[in-house]
Amino acid sequence: MITPLPAELEQYVDEKIASGQFASRDAFLVEAVRMYREFESRHEMLKSEIRAAVQQAEQGMTEPLNIEAIQRELSEPCDMERRRWSP
């Protein structure tokens, strides 16, 4: 692990190891790097999708928004989350 970490990050890593979530600092670092790589990949994919959508919009290849469908789609994860945590 890179040292020295700021105290708050050091404490965070120590807590994760103490909780049993990670066996060691090396295991934590491996997972952190894996997650960051995945984050970068998703970020690039989203940027590409946004560029394509903007290009389509500039070419007039868009459809009106279906607000009701968007609201239903956005509320689904919230509903699932509430059901998961409700007693």
Side-chain angles (χ1 to χ4, degrees):
M1 170 111 0
I2 299 172
T3 55
L5 288 174
E8 64 197 43
L9 295 180
E10 191 78 37
Q11 180 180 352
Y12 180 77
V13 173
D14 290 343
E15 289 171 1
K16 293 297 180 181
I17 294 168
S19 75
Q21 192 171 351
F22 295 94
S24 66
R25 290 178 175 276
D26 287 342
F28 182 89
L29 180 60
V30 166
E31 181 64 10
V33 171
R34 185 199 64 74
M35 289 175 67
Y36 187 77
R37 183 173 58 188
E38 183 179 326
F39 166 80
E40 280 186 320
S41 175
R42 287 182 178 184
H43 186 247
E44 286 303 316
M45 182 181 65
L46 287 172
K47 286 184 353 186
S48 176
E49 290 176 6
I50 290 169
R51 279 192 291 274
V54 167
Q55 188 176 29
Q56 287 176 346
E58 289 173 345
Q59 295 172 359
M61 302 170 54
T62 58
E63 297 178 14
L65 293 176
N66 181 335
I67 299 300
E68 291 82 18
I70 292 170
Q71 289 174 331
R72 277 192 309 273
E73 183 179 337
L74 292 175
S75 69
E76 286 175 12
C78 294
D79 291 342
M80 289 174 55
E81 189 69 20
R82 270 189 236 116
R83 275 184 249 137
R84 192 173 98 190
W85 292 106
S86 60

